[in-house]
Structure formats: C-alpha cells, structure tokens
Amino acid sequence: MGTAAAGGGCGARRWLPWLGLCFWAAGAAAARGADNGEVLPDSIPSAPGTLPHFIEEPEDAYIVKSNPIALRCKARPAMQIFFKCNGEWVHQNEHVSEESLDESSGLKVREVFINVTRQQVEDFHGPEDYWCQCVAWSHLGTSKSRKASVRIAYLRKNFEQDPQGREVPIEGMIVLHCRPPEGVPAAEVEWLKNEEPIDSAQDENIDTRADHNLIIRQARLSDSGNYTCMAANIVAKRRSLSATVVVYVNGGWSSWTEWSACNVRCGRGWQKRSRTCTNPAPLNGGAFCEGMSVQKITCTALCPVDGSWEVWSEWSVCSPECEHLRIRECTAPPPRNGGKFCEGLSQESENCTDGLCILDKKPLHEIKPQSIENASDIALYSGLGAAIVAVAVLVIGVTLYRRSHSDYGVDVIDSSALTGNSLLLNPAMQPDLTVSRTYSGPICLQDPLDKELMTESSLFNPLSDIKVKVQSSFMVSLGVSERAEYHGKNHSGTFPHGNNRGFSTIHPRNKTPYIQNLSSLPTRTELRTTGVFGHLGGRLVMPNTGVSLLIPHGAIPEENSWEIYMSINQGEPSLQSDGSEVLLSPEVTCGPPDMLVTTPFALTIPHCADVSSEHWNIHLKKRTQQGKWEEVMSVEDESTSCYCLLDPFACHVLLDSFGTYALTGEPITDCAVKQLKVAVFGCMSCNSLDYNLRVYCVDNTPCAFQEVVSDERHQGGQLLEEPKLLHFKGNTFSLQISVLDIPPFLWRIKPFTACQEVPFSRVWSSNRQPLHCAFSLERYTPTTTQLSCKICIRQLKGHEQILQVQTSILESERETITFFAQEDSTFPAQTGPKAFKIPYSIRQRICATFDTPNAKGKDWQMLAQKNSINRNLSYFATQSSPSAVILNLWEARHQQDGDLDSLACALEEIGRTHTKLSNITESQLEEADFNYSRQNGL
C-alpha cells in the first residue's frame, strides 16, 4: 500500500522503487503535460526537446594497493545522473551530486561521482573486467556514457627476459633484448647506460622503440658499458640484470716504413722495413694483427776500392842537371767507390852518374877541388869511428852477461808477455816467428802438477804466428807476417810459478764483497746440473753462471715427473760465426729433448752485448740434431713460436722445446759495443824474486769469468783487484794493456813487456778460450813484500779502465774475501711453490682478473705493458692464459730480487688491486703454500 500510494503520488512521473525516486515520464507524456498547461518543477531546467550531453565521461581507472578510486560523470542538460556498474544500479547514497549553471547556454549542468574500492573489484567475478557507466535523464529520454573499466594495478618482480652481455666489433650492430615483468597497466621500459638514462631522441644511432629492445646500429668505442633495462608502472619500478657491452677493435697494420739503408758498408747485407699494429691498435681484447711486423731483403753495397800503384817506369835519360826520373800511376787498380788514393809519390828523381856528372864540359873527377881536407880532419873522423865500435862491443858484452845470470834468456824476456799466449792471435794464420823460441834460462818443475801444466795449460803453447817488434816505448806489437817461416825451435815449457796452491788474498782496501776464495769454485767438468720436476714445476739454476731454467706450474702433466738437465759448453764452440756475426752468449743445453711441455718454459741466458737495436741485430739460434745451427728468430722480429726479452745482461726466452741454444749478434754500425770483464791475477814465480801478473779480458758473462777462475785456481793465481767492465767498440781498433807506476827502487819489469797490444779481431771474436796477457815483475831484494802498480786496459780511440793493484806477495798477510755470491749455488734445483716468488693463490687471482677482456682495456695487454713488455704481443695472444705466461716471464726476470713490490705497483697503476703483494707476511705466504699443497695432495 505504501508503495502503491507512493507510486500513485508520482502522477505522470515514473516511480523507481529500488531508488526511492520519482522521475518524469519520457516522450509524449511530458509533451502532453506541457500542452495541458502544467508547470514543470524547478528541478527540471532543461529545454524541451534536448537529450543529455555528457561533458565528462568516466575514465578507465586502476586501484593501487588499497586506495579507492573516484569515477566522475558530468552532463548537460540532465535532470538526474546515476552510475550503473556491472549492469546494476549504484545506490543513491553512494552518489555525490553537484549542480551548476552553464553561463554560455543558461542550462543546468549536473556532475556526479562515486568511489570504487578494491574489495568491490575483487568480489566481482564476471566474464569481463569490472565496469561502470553513467545514465543521464532529460525530458526526451536518457543518454549513456562510455563504459569505464576498473582494474587492480600490479607489477611482478622478475623480468621475463633480461638483457645479455655482448662483445661486438666496432661498427657492428648491438641488439639487447628486454621483456619486462607482467603488470597492470603494462610497464613502460627505459634503458640506462652506466646508470644514466638513454635518450634515443638525441642519438640517431640508438633505437629503443622496437618491442622494448635496445638497438645500436653502428657500435662505437663510447658504446662500451653496462646496460640496464628499467620497467615501471603506477605501482612500482623494476631493474633487470646489467648487461656488459664490450666494443672491441681488431688491430690493423700501419703503412710500411721506408727501407732502411744497407746494414753493411760493402758487400752483401740486408735492409729492413717495419710496420706497427697501430692502425688501429687492438683495444678491449681485440685481435692482434696477423703477419710479420718486420720485412728484410738482401742488398749489395759497392765496396770502396783503394787505389794501388803500378810498377815504376824505366829511368829516363840523364838530364843536364845530372838527374833522371821515373814515374808510376795509381791505376792498379784505380780508386773506386770512394776508395783512398794511393799514398806516396808518383815520381822519383836521383843522381844518374854516381858522382861522375859532367860539369862545364869536364868530367867531375878531373875538376880540382876548391879545398882539400887536411890530416887533422881525417884523424878526427877516425877517432869517432873507433869510439862507436867500442860502445857497441860494450853493449854486446853487458847483454851476454845479463843473459847468463838471468832465469830467462833475452828471447824469453822479449816475448814473456806472449809466451804460450797463442790465444792473442788468429790460429788460422800460418806460423811466422821472427824471434827465437829457445829458452836460455832454466825451466823449473816443482811438482807433478807443473808437469801436467807443461802439456795442458794454454799459457805455454808455442806461438805460431806472432812477430815481435820492439819500439822505443817498449810496446810489443803483435802482427802476422806475409810469408810463414820458422826461424827457431819450439821447446815445450811451463810458465814459472811458486808452490802456493792456495789463493792469495788482497788488502781490503774498500773492497766490496765481490771477491771470493777461488779454491771453492767448481771446475769446468762440473758445469752441469740436474733436477727432478713434476706437475708443480720449479727452477733449475747453474751456480755462478747466470744460466737458469724455469718450469711453470702445470707445464708437466699430473702424475708425471722428469729428470731435467742443463749444461754449458766450455769447450770449443760448435757455432761458427759467419761474416761479421759474433757469439754473444754461452751455448746452453737443456733436456731431455724428447720431453713435451704444455706451457712455455723460460730459459735465461747471459750475454755480453751492450743492448741497442740501433747498433746490434741479435739472433737466437738452435743446434739441430745434425749439429748444424739454424736461426730461431731475431730479437726484433714478431713470432708466435717463441718469445725473447732482452735485458741489459741476460736474455729471457720462452720456449716449447728443449735443445741447445745461443745468442749471436751482427753489428749494424761501428758503435756496437761488447762488454768485456777485465781482471788481474798474480802469483809467485819459481824464482823467489819474480812475480807474475796475468791480465784477462773476457766476455762479460758469469760463466766466461768462472772459466778464468777455474784456470787460475789450478795455476795458483790470486785475484788482485775486483773486475771491471770495459766497453769495447766494433771500430776495428786494437786493445792495449800496459803496466804503470811500478815502484822504481823496489820492482822492475822485464824488458819490452811494459805494454802489449792485442789485435781487434782477436778481442771481438774472443769466443774460444780466455784472452790474457802476462807480465813478469822482479824484486830487487827479497825483503820487498808489497806490490803496488796500475794496469791500464784501453781500446785505441775507445774506452779505458784502470786496475789498481796493491797486494802482499806473502801468503800469511793475505785475507780471504768472497767473489761469487753463494746464494744461487746452495739449491741449484728448487721444486714446488717455494721456487716461485708469487704465491700460487695470488697468481690465480691475477690470471682470472686479467685474462678476461675488460671494457676499459684493463686486461693482459696492459699487464704486459706495465711490466715493460711492449713487443710481439701476438705471442701471448696465442696462449691459453696470456697472464700466466707474462707472470712466468716476470719470475724469470726477477729470480734474484723477487721484487714483489714492483709488481704490486704495476697492478695498482692498472687499478685492479690496491693491496701491495709486498705487505703479505711470511706466515701468510707459508699458509697459502700449505693450503695449495693440501689441495694438490702434497
């Protein structure tokens, strides 16, 4: 009843019971009401005949977390506006309505909004999303707005696809894929490079529009970096995993340089040109250039030909001036290619009548002399002649007397510096002795060792090609005569020395610990060492020779072990020099030859060259099984089979096979320098008043000097002064050795031996036996026990060294001062972690860090550069772990100092580590080695 009454009370209006409202009937009823003169209520301001027009319709909305959303609707003209959600009317109490007047049209504007909660959306279960729309009423009818969907917003955590790191060549295309997490609304994607947003609108080379992917059309070096995909919607933001992009540059060769000048001034030589891997240089792990960086071709330079005189012509007819002439021409051959013109006169003249020249038409013997010598003049000249004869007889008598009272004959004294010293000359020349070889004094043999030295010592081999010329300066010059003839007999003999087999000592005048008791050194037959090595590797050292072998960890397969040996050839070198090539190092053999290694080993060989690529062309050679020597590589060449690193005093070679190796050098200019070690030894002679000095000039390698020490030990020699270095140039000038400042009233030197000269070729190619000169000094009285003098060794137009000798000839006053350090001879073979300076755990971390290419170029190439390895990097690029091979080379170079601090500084400069290796305590190193040993089952 109440409902009906209420409905009846609406009259022409329509009753909506679920809303509790009355609405005007639409259409004709409304029109009839107007015709009947009924007045419309004030709440209906609309003009007749106008449907509602929506000014604002509800928009799609998203519920974030638990916050409700508001849906708005605005229409003109409208009597009422209500929301309908999911097909059902929203109750009036949930509506908020506002009315306003549109000033332009004078019509009423109605605005309504409702709130929708998360719970309402979650409780709805329909075939489509939760939706709402507005329904507006006017006189003519209703209008409906668009449906607005309401959804719960969310964004999942994980990306469906993360971008992946790439390594691309320069100018290549980079495509990074990104599929953002599922979300409502769909997430928008943004790309970051090194945490900075990428704006594709400012860079035409970058496109981020294609399905959220990042596309770089042509990669540039600046495109290297870390890229991150960012996904965001109204709920949250999500970050993908970072992808590292490395844009690398493969190396390219520069243009060839011009061909160099021919390396020889005359004859057959070579010229070279080079190029560098800098166009562009490899970056960020790019491949090194393929091919050789140096090319060589042969060349032939015209040799200068010095002019030579033709034979003299016949004498001309005697001229009125009583002279006749003869001439010669410089045409046999004439000078060519810059050769020197002939020296001397091209014509000669002399009297042609032997004093019988006709003067004023009369024979000369018929002309009366202007003055005749008187008898007194004749007597004067006769007296002078007699005096000259008397002086000559006196000199001969004194000489014979001294010979009969001396331990050595005159002939022995004249050549005492050369006795048995065939090493000073070229043995290939034919013998030509212009002095006698007969000993006029007694030869003393004091024990069986002396007899052995008579036949074996190189000091007493007969001279076969020496000519002695005595000059006013008492200098003995050595030469080779053009025609070889013997003018005397060769008698075997031994150089005199005393009974003292121990080594003398020297006064400790500011001597550094550089001189050793020579009796403790090994003999020549002991220059060989062996050791057993396994998977852990180790180091094999030849004591006091500078020769060592480094077997890296892992070079020998696990559960295998080898007995590895190393030796030095101290006999006649098997490598015969070709042309101007000289041997710069000992011949070093390591084996067994059939052993195979998985990682290159490091062989260290000392050399005597003053290293300079401008003056030397240095080669590494290997002896084949047939005994021939073949070139492995030039130190300056690029090679992937082996690597040579030349230090000032040693060469470190990375090799894959064992064998016999040596270094040779070809001088490019006259400024090429060999480093010689000069030393002086002394010992008493069998004559108690004599003292012998022996001056050695040998290649500056420890093994060469050890050979000298071994010889002197057998001869009873004592090192009198610490050795010094002499820079010997390849300028063809000879070497002079002289004794200076001998105390005048205490000592005297044997005649004609104060200065001796050694030919250039003998010193430059001194690769057979130690070169030395001998001097014999004599005391005036037995009470003289101290000797002081200077030994001057100099190259003409070259370097000079002075050895200051100050010693006691009495054994009781000598002191023993060490010469060779004993550190490397205590343990010639070291195996396992203790053989290496870098602990294994730290080494592994360094290799793992630098073997991986880096966007900033901080990889193994920079590690090599910081360790002064700037050449032939293609060799390391072929290794499985370039950093490990670089560290093996570092171990070989620093086996004496083990300067870990320098390595740490290099790593700090690169920026990969900030911890100095030198700060690691011994306990930490021992712990690291112990842990490493336990891991490997030791």
Side-chain angles (χ1 to χ4, degrees):
M1 290 296 292
T3 304
C10 289
R13 291 172 293 181
R14 184 178 181 182
W15 170 251
L16 299 178
W18 61 88
L19 293 177
L21 295 174
C22 289
F23 286 94
W24 287 95
R32 287 192 302 269
D35 294 339
N36 293 333
E38 296 181 3
V39 180
L40 296 175
D42 295 337
S43 60
I44 306 178
S46 304
T50 302
L51 287 174
H53 171 69
F54 285 98
I55 302 175
E56 181 179 351
E57 297 182 87
E59 300 288 339
D60 295 339
Y62 299 94
I63 295 178
V64 179
K65 298 182 180 179
S66 298
N67 300 321
I69 54 98
L71 296 179
R72 296 178 179 273
C73 190
K74 183 186 294 187
R76 178 188 62 194
M79 295 182 297
Q80 293 292 339
I81 300 177
F82 287 94
F83 274 93
K84 195 175 190 178
C85 294
N86 301 319
E88 297 181 358
W89 295 102
V90 179
H91 198 274
Q92 181 182 9
N93 295 338
E94 298 179 9
H95 290 73
V96 177
S97 178
E98 294 180 357
E99 285 187 358
S100 62
L101 182 65
D102 186 356
E103 295 180 357
S104 60
S105 61
L107 299 177
K108 293 285 184 74
V109 176
R110 182 175 296 275
E111 181 179 3
V112 176
F113 66 89
I114 63 172
N115 289 329
V116 179
T117 65
R118 182 185 183 97
Q119 188 65 40
Q120 289 176 309
V121 176
E122 289 179 347
D123 291 344
F124 174 71
H125 302 285
E128 54 185 356
D129 293 333
Y130 189 98
W131 60 270
C132 295
Q133 71 177 162
C134 291
V135 180
W137 281 264
S138 69
H139 293 99
L140 297 180
T142 61
S143 296
K144 296 182 180 179
S145 69
R146 65 177 295 272
K147 289 183 179 181
S149 63
V150 179
R151 304 174 67 184
I152 298 176
Y154 67 93
L155 183 63
R156 301 194 184 279
K157 292 184 178 181
N158 297 326
F159 277 74
E160 295 184 4
Q161 182 179 4
D162 288 298
Q164 302 296 319
R166 297 285 306 279
E167 293 183 9
V168 295
I170 194 168
E171 297 185 356
M173 177 178 286
I174 302 175
V175 179
L176 298 181
H177 298 279
C178 176
R179 294 176 60 187
E182 179 186 355
V184 173
E188 296 182 357
V189 173
E190 180 185 26
W191 284 91
L192 303 180
K193 175 189 173 184
N194 298 331
E195 304 302 324
E196 294 293 332
I198 297 176
D199 187 358
S200 60
Q202 296 182 358
D203 192 345
E204 296 180 353
N205 194 39
I206 298 178
D207 185 7
T208 58
R209 297 170 297 177
D211 196 20
H212 307 307
N213 297 328
L214 174 67
I215 300 175
I216 301 177
R217 296 181 178 89
Q218 288 187 330
R220 302 155 296 191
L221 286 177
S222 59
D223 293 326
S224 297
N226 296 320
Y227 288 82
T228 307
C229 182
M230 292 286 298
N233 64 5
I234 59 177
V235 178
K237 289 184 178 181
R238 300 285 187 257
R239 289 173 58 97
S240 70
L241 298 176
S242 294
T244 300
V245 173
V246 177
V247 180
Y248 61 85
V249 179
N250 293 324
W253 289 114
S254 65
S255 300
W256 288 102
T257 61
E258 296 296 330
W259 288 104
S260 65
C262 199
N263 70 315
V264 295
R265 289 174 295 180
C266 112
R268 185 179 178 84
W270 53 264
Q271 54 187 154
K272 66 178 181 179
R273 65 175 183 174
S274 61
R275 58 180 178 175
T276 57
C277 189
T278 56
N279 187 33
L283 292 175
N284 301 336
F288 202 81
C289 303
E290 295 182 358
M292 305 303 292
S293 64
V294 178
Q295 280 186 348
K296 290 185 179 180
I297 59 174
T298 58
C299 58
T300 302
L302 296 177
C303 297
V305 178
D306 294 338
S308 180
W309 292 112
E310 289 279 4
V311 297
W312 287 101
S313 66
E314 297 294 333
W315 289 103
S316 66
V317 179
C318 194
S319 69
E321 289 78 18
C322 306
E323 290 183 343
H324 59 177
L325 303 175
R326 65 174 180 176
I327 62 173
R328 58 179 178 176
E329 295 181 352
C330 188
T331 58
R336 294 193 306 270
N337 306 326
K340 297 180 181 179
F341 196 79
C342 303
E343 296 182 358
L345 300 175
S346 61
Q347 69 177 24
E348 282 184 347
S349 63
E350 65 178 18
N351 190 285
C352 53
T353 61
D354 293 332
L356 299 179
C357 182
I358 297 177
L359 187 61
D360 295 334
K361 307 299 183 179
K362 296 181 180 180
L364 189 61
H365 66 277
E366 295 180 1
I367 299 175
K368 299 291 184 179
Q370 298 294 329
S371 61
I372 302 175
E373 296 179 350
N374 54 31
S376 61
D377 293 336
I378 297 175
L380 175 61
Y381 293 142
S382 301
L384 289 176
I388 292 174
V389 173
V391 172
V393 172
L394 179 61
V395 171
I396 293 174
V398 171
T399 302
L400 294 175
Y401 176 80
R402 289 180 58 85
R403 290 183 60 179
S404 62
H405 289 79
S406 175
D407 295 327
Y408 302 95
V410 173
D411 297 325
V412 177
I413 294 173
D414 291 349
S415 60
S416 62
L418 312 175
T419 302
N421 217 347
S422 61
L423 298 173
L424 294 175
L425 301 170
N426 187 351
M429 298 179 180
Q430 295 299 321
D432 177 21
L433 300 182
T434 59
V435 296
S436 173
R437 294 296 165 195
T438 305
Y439 283 71
S440 60
I443 300 300
C444 56
L445 302 176
Q446 297 181 353
D447 54 35
L449 180 59
D450 291 324
K451 298 177 182 179
E452 180 182 354
L453 291 175
M454 283 182 62
T455 59
E456 296 183 0
S457 175
S458 63
L459 291 173
F460 310 108
N461 297 331
L463 295 177
S464 60
D465 52 2
I466 297 178
K467 181 182 292 184
V468 180
K469 298 179 181 179
V470 180
Q471 302 178 1
S472 59
S473 62
F474 292 99
M475 180 180 70
V476 179
S477 63
L478 309 180
V480 180
S481 65
E482 296 180 358
R483 300 179 181 178
E485 295 180 1
Y486 273 101
H487 298 285
K489 299 179 179 180
N490 285 330
H491 295 273
S492 62
T494 182
F495 200 95
H497 57 273
N499 289 324
N500 181 18
R501 297 299 173 198
F503 281 78
S504 306
T505 60
I506 64 175
H507 292 285
R509 293 181 294 103
N510 301 323
K511 295 289 191 291
T512 59
Y514 195 25
I515 303 176
Q516 176 198 7
N517 184 355
L518 305 176
S519 61
S520 64
L521 295 177
T523 61
R524 296 185 191 180
T525 58
E526 296 174 339
L527 288 184
R528 177 186 174 95
T529 184
T530 61
V532 178
F533 298 90
H535 182 69
L536 299 181
R539 192 190 303 268
L540 191 61
V541 179
M542 187 76 70
N544 301 324
T545 63
V547 179
S548 64
L549 182 67
L550 181 75
I551 307 296
H553 175 276
I556 301 176
E558 293 188 22
E559 300 181 358
N560 288 353
S561 62
W562 287 83
E563 181 179 13
I564 299 176
Y565 64 85
M566 186 169 58
S567 63
I568 298 177
N569 177 24
Q570 284 204 304
E572 188 74 12
S574 59
L575 197 160
Q576 301 299 325
S577 301
D578 296 333
S580 59
E581 194 175 50
V582 294
L583 185 63
L584 298 177
S585 74
E587 297 175 2
V588 179
T589 302
C590 52
D594 56 344
M595 175 182 169
L596 299 178
V597 293
T598 59
T599 303
F601 62 88
L603 178 63
T604 299
I605 306 176
H607 66 82
C608 62
D610 190 356
V611 179
S612 174
S613 59
E614 299 178 357
H615 307 311
W616 281 106
N617 186 16
I618 299 178
H619 306 272
L620 175 69
K621 292 194 173 184
K622 180 180 180 181
R623 187 172 62 190
T624 63
Q625 295 181 352
Q626 293 74 23
K628 297 181 179 181
W629 287 85
E630 60 182 17
E631 180 176 334
V632 178
M633 69 172 295
S634 175
V635 173
E636 295 184 8
D637 289 346
E638 304 281 344
S639 174
T640 57
S641 60
C642 65
Y643 186 89
C644 288
L645 180 62
L646 203 62
D647 279 346
F649 299 102
C651 182
H652 310 283
V653 189
L654 296 176
L655 299 165
D656 294 324
S657 60
F658 291 94
T660 301
Y661 295 90
L663 291 175
T664 63
E666 185 178 2
I668 301 176
T669 67
D670 290 345
C671 296
V673 172
K674 276 183 63 175
Q675 293 181 344
L676 303 180
K677 181 171 289 186
V678 295
V680 56
F681 290 81
C683 69
M684 291 292 295
S685 174
C686 57
N687 183 350
S688 60
L689 296 180
D690 287 352
Y691 192 78
N692 298 322
L693 296 177
R694 288 184 289 275
V695 182
Y696 288 84
C697 298
V698 297
D699 293 343
N700 182 34
T701 58
C703 48
F705 188 68
Q706 187 178 12
E707 185 177 355
V708 171
V709 169
S710 179
D711 287 342
E712 283 295 326
R713 186 189 65 169
H714 287 87
Q715 299 179 34
Q718 166 67 27
L719 185 64
L720 304 181
E721 170 70 354
E722 61 184 62
K724 295 184 178 180
L725 286 184
L726 180 73
H727 299 286
F728 192 80
K729 290 185 177 181
N731 56 10
T732 71
F733 289 99
S734 59
L735 185 72
Q736 284 187 352
I737 304 175
S738 56
V739 181
L740 308 174
D741 298 344
I742 300 175
F745 301 108
L746 299 176
W747 294 85
R748 63 183 176 185
I749 192 169
K750 298 291 185 178
F752 315 126
T753 63
C755 182
Q756 303 182 31
E757 186 170 343
V758 184
F760 167 82
S761 60
R762 177 64 186 93
V763 182
W764 190 250
S765 302
S766 178
N767 53 14
R768 291 177 175 83
Q769 294 179 347
L771 182 150
H772 77 277
C773 291
F775 299 88
S776 182
L777 305 180
E778 182 180 3
R779 293 180 292 172
Y780 282 97
T781 63
T783 58
T784 301
T785 61
Q786 297 292 325
L787 171 62
S788 65
C789 63
K790 294 180 180 178
I791 309 294
C792 177
I793 304 101
R794 74 183 187 95
Q795 184 184 17
L796 300 179
K797 297 186 180 182
H799 190 216
E800 176 182 323
Q801 280 289 9
I802 301 293
L803 298 177
Q804 181 70 50
V805 176
Q806 185 173 350
T807 185
S808 172
I809 63 175
L810 299 180
E811 183 177 2
S812 59
E813 299 180 4
R814 298 172 183 163
E815 295 183 7
T816 300
I817 305 175
T818 60
F819 174 74
F820 286 113
Q822 296 293 328
E823 297 176 359
D824 60 351
S825 61
T826 305
F827 302 103
Q830 295 180 342
T831 60
K834 291 297 183 182
F836 303 97
K837 307 298 181 182
I838 306 175
Y840 183 73
S841 57
I842 297 178
R843 178 189 178 93
Q844 282 184 314
R845 286 179 3 218
I846 294 175
C847 294
T849 301
F850 288 97
D851 283 342
T852 303
N854 184 273
K856 298 182 180 179
K858 297 177 181 179
D859 53 12
W860 63 266
Q861 297 186 53
M862 183 170 289
L863 177 65
Q865 178 184 355
K866 293 300 180 182
N867 285 277
S868 302
I869 303 174
N870 302 313
R871 185 188 51 78
N872 196 12
L873 295 182
S874 58
Y875 173 81
F876 299 98
T878 60
Q879 305 298 322
S880 58
S881 175
S883 301
V885 180
I886 293 172
L887 294 180
N888 293 339
L889 195 57
W890 184 93
E891 290 275 2
R893 299 178 71 184
H894 297 84
Q895 61 176 325
Q896 297 297 334
D897 51 31
D899 189 7
L900 287 174
D901 190 65
S902 65
L903 179 60
C905 290
L907 296 177
E908 287 180 0
E909 290 181 12
I910 299 175
R912 285 302 185 91
T913 178
H914 300 283
T915 304
K916 288 190 176 182
L917 301 180
S918 57
N919 292 334
I920 301 175
T921 61
E922 293 185 3
S923 61
Q924 290 173 320
L925 295 180
E926 292 176 358
E927 181 179 356
D929 292 337
F930 174 73
N931 293 335
Y932 169 69
S933 300
R934 290 202 310 172
Q935 293 173 3
N936 289 272
L938 301 179

